[in-house]
Amino acid sequence: MPAPVFETTVLPHLDAAFNFARWLTRNDAEAEDVVQDACVRALRYFSSFRHDDGRAWFFTIVRNTWYSRISRRTSAADATPLDSRQDGPADAALNPEMRLLQRDTVGRVRQAIERLPVDFREVIVLREIEGLSYKEIATVANVPIGTVMSRLARARERLLAELQTVASVETLA
Amino acid sequence: MSCEVLDQDLEAFVDHELDDEGARRVREHVAQCEGCRVRVAERQMLGRLIRSVPYRTAPDRLRERVASQTSRSLMTRRVFTWAAAAAVIVAIAGGTALLRPSMPDRGTIMAEVVDGHVRSLMANHLFDVQSTDQHTVKPWFLGKLDFSPPVVDLSSSGFPLIGGRLDYIDGRPAAALVYQRHQHTINMFVSDDGRGASTTIERRSLRGFHVRHWTRDGMSFWVVSDLNESELDEFVGALMR
């Protein structure tokens, strides 16, 4: 089997890396910087890339890059201002009233996720949006699988409690 | 099973991380416990809500910055690699002129399948025919292939068919059928196998992509995606039904 090639191992996951970084940083510019730094690191360490999951490997580097950036700052929790950009276009098939309702729902879901502590936020994003297995998440977040499960359980409890009122429009999701 | 037992398995059940036996026990309990049925449904609804938040893709500016960085850094390394490769070729040509080209093994074909998947995403050449209608996609392959790939839409199972294209696997023309699950793309390559024996499903992973392979009705099937393994198995299961 040929040696893995950077362009086909790491670069196809650039979108996923950006989306993940965006959820970690909650800020567009910061996410771009994190992913760019992560690429530099990934290139540098690529010769030591052994196991065969390029995506999880890249996620790990993105996460570590971000952690090392915020550890240089005094207050990690509020280091980066939250972008308050509005959501993209809602589904055009819906009537205007439904569209407003849907946009509102999406906005509230995003806010609820962004308000989660980062330990919870990352497992929710990796599981629900990226579809990583528990084992992969454990590798990326560098915690035991049991911890992944308990964080997921608690994150979901919090989100469900917060979104209880959204439940009435659940059919739109 | 009691509700307390389910507490521990609830997340794993929702996330398809339980083994068959565990999942069966949860299903049996949920079938007769209204409270737990609600808890499972709430979590599934939450998952759908979370995935309804638009995916943020890398801005072009970032893509360009990364591309120029990569090419600069790889340039130096490449020069050495090519020099080494050239030396090897000279050595082989000199020493083993009698070497016969051998049949590619399945590992090589799998690498090809994964490359085909990556290429389809990178080059933005996902479809030759873009349609969610299996009755449009299937006839499109007529006359382009000397076999008839099965084309089924799996929207009802949560894997909508989004198109198809002509591709090559193992030097032979293949039908590539494209399915979608949330933000993930699934490529299914179907080629004429020529041998006709049916095999069981082989599960492999390469470079972060999961691959499923089997042969049936004289055709060889390769399914590849970055989707997690359990959902990919769900896809294969829906396909086999």
Side-chain angles (χ1 to χ4, degrees):
Chain A
M1 188 156 300
V5 178
F6 185 81
E7 288 96 320
T8 54
T9 306
V10 175
L11 292 189
H13 306 299
L14 199 63
D15 281 337
F18 180 77
N19 190 52
F20 180 45
R22 182 62 180 72
W23 280 112
L24 287 177
T25 61
R26 300 174 293 183
N27 175 289
D28 281 333
E30 178 92 6
E32 272 188 56
D33 289 347
V34 166
V35 172
Q36 195 179 355
D37 283 3
C39 282
V40 173
R41 288 188 185 205
L43 260 172
R44 196 180 312 143
Y45 302 136
F46 192 65
S47 55
S48 66
F49 172 70
R50 289 283 174 272
H51 60 102
D52 64 19
D53 192 339
R55 193 164 61 120
W57 185 76
F58 197 23
F59 279 148
T60 310
I61 294 179
V62 167
R63 181 180 180 276
N64 292 345
T65 304
W66 182 62
Y67 270 95
S68 64
R69 282 171 77 98
I70 56 168
S71 70
R72 279 186 249 125
R73 297 183 193 148
T74 43
S75 165
D78 302 298
T80 311
L82 266 70
D83 274 7
S84 51
R85 207 180 60 183
Q86 278 309 299
D87 304 307
D91 194 335
L94 301 170
N95 68 38
E97 196 183 337
M98 296 292 261
R99 235 180 307 185
L100 262 180
L101 218 57
Q102 192 203 35
R103 176 170 298 182
D104 189 46
T105 306
V106 167
R108 290 178 64 178
V109 173
R110 171 178 288 153
Q111 262 182 16
I113 302 171
E114 287 189 336
R115 275 201 293 266
L116 287 174
V118 66
D119 290 350
F120 290 0
R121 194 161 69 230
E122 63 183 4
V123 294
I124 277 288
V125 169
L126 292 175
R127 172 60 228 165
E128 297 287 17
I129 299 175
E130 293 301 337
L132 261 57
S133 68
Y134 288 177
K135 193 160 152 260
E136 289 169 322
I137 299 172
T139 310
V140 173
N142 198 23
V143 292
I145 288 184
T147 308
V148 171
M149 291 173 73
S150 62
R151 283 182 185 172
L152 262 178
R154 291 170 64 193
R156 283 178 173 147
E157 286 294 344
R158 285 177 78 140
L159 288 173
L160 282 169
E162 189 151 347
L163 296 171
Q164 219 38 263
T165 45
V166 183
S168 56
V169 288
E170 70 190 65
T171 45
L172 295 176
Chain B
M1 180 193 266
S2 65
C3 301
E4 290 74 46
V5 178
L6 181 62
D7 277 345
Q8 292 171 3
D9 284 346
L10 184 60
E11 312 302 321
F13 175 71
V14 171
D15 291 323
H16 308 284
E17 292 259 352
L18 286 182
D19 56 23
D20 291 350
E21 172 58 20
R24 190 185 58 77
R25 284 189 303 124
V26 172
R27 268 196 301 273
E28 276 171 12
H29 173 74
V30 164
Q32 44 181 285
C33 175
E34 175 63 24
C36 288
R37 191 152 57 234
V38 170
R39 291 160 79 198
V40 168
E42 275 178 344
R43 274 154 189 76
Q44 288 167 340
M45 188 249 326
L46 179 66
R48 287 195 297 275
L49 275 174
I50 293 172
R51 283 186 292 274
S52 73
V53 177
Y55 200 81
R56 288 188 156 129
T57 53
D60 290 344
R61 187 176 53 232
L62 173 63
R63 208 174 286 283
E64 283 156 20
R65 267 152 60 188
V66 168
S68 75
Q69 235 166 28
T70 313
S71 58
R72 241 182 299 132
S73 161
L74 290 174
M75 192 85 80
T76 347
R77 221 177 303 163
R78 287 285 148 76
V79 173
F80 288 106
T81 315
W82 281 109
V88 169
I89 289 167
V90 168
I92 291 175
T96 57
L98 291 174
L99 197 69
R100 267 187 312 129
S102 57
M103 281 290 287
D105 60 40
R106 284 231 288 289
T108 317
I109 301 176
M110 183 167 83
E112 225 182 280
V113 166
V114 170
D115 283 343
H117 174 74
V118 170
R119 210 168 40 238
S120 75
L121 301 178
M122 287 175 86
N124 248 335
H125 179 219
L126 209 46
F127 324 104
D128 289 326
V129 51
Q130 179 169 6
S131 172
T132 55
D133 181 5
Q134 61 202 59
H135 305 296
T136 308
V137 176
K138 192 174 169 73
W140 184 86
F141 285 111
L142 267 176
K144 299 186 177 70
L145 297 167
D146 51 10
F147 61 97
S148 177
V151 181
V152 279
D153 181 27
L154 298 173
S155 293
S156 56
S157 310
F159 300 95
L161 173 73
I162 55 173
R165 66 175 189 284
L166 203 59
D167 214 310
Y168 284 86
I169 294 298
D170 191 16
R172 277 184 281 203
L177 298 168
V178 189
Y179 291 87
Q180 193 143 36
R181 172 74 151 195
H182 314 316
Q183 291 82 15
H184 303 277
T185 301
I186 304 171
N187 263 296
M188 179 168 80
F189 298 94
V190 188
S191 65
D192 189 8
D193 178 54
R195 284 182 286 274
S198 289
T199 63
T200 52
I201 298 161
E202 197 181 329
R203 310 165 84 242
R204 304 270 287 273
S205 294
L206 181 66
R207 306 198 314 248
F209 298 98
H210 302 301
V211 180
R212 300 291 180 266
H213 168 63
W214 68 95
T215 59
R216 204 190 225 191
D217 302 330
M219 284 175 274
S220 173
F221 295 81
W222 292 88
V223 169
V224 54
S225 180
D226 63 347
L227 189 66
N228 67 78
E229 300 221 43
S230 54
E231 283 179 279
L232 194 62
D233 286 331
E234 211 181 294
F235 170 78
V236 173
L239 203 68
M240 296 285 187
R241 273 201 292 274

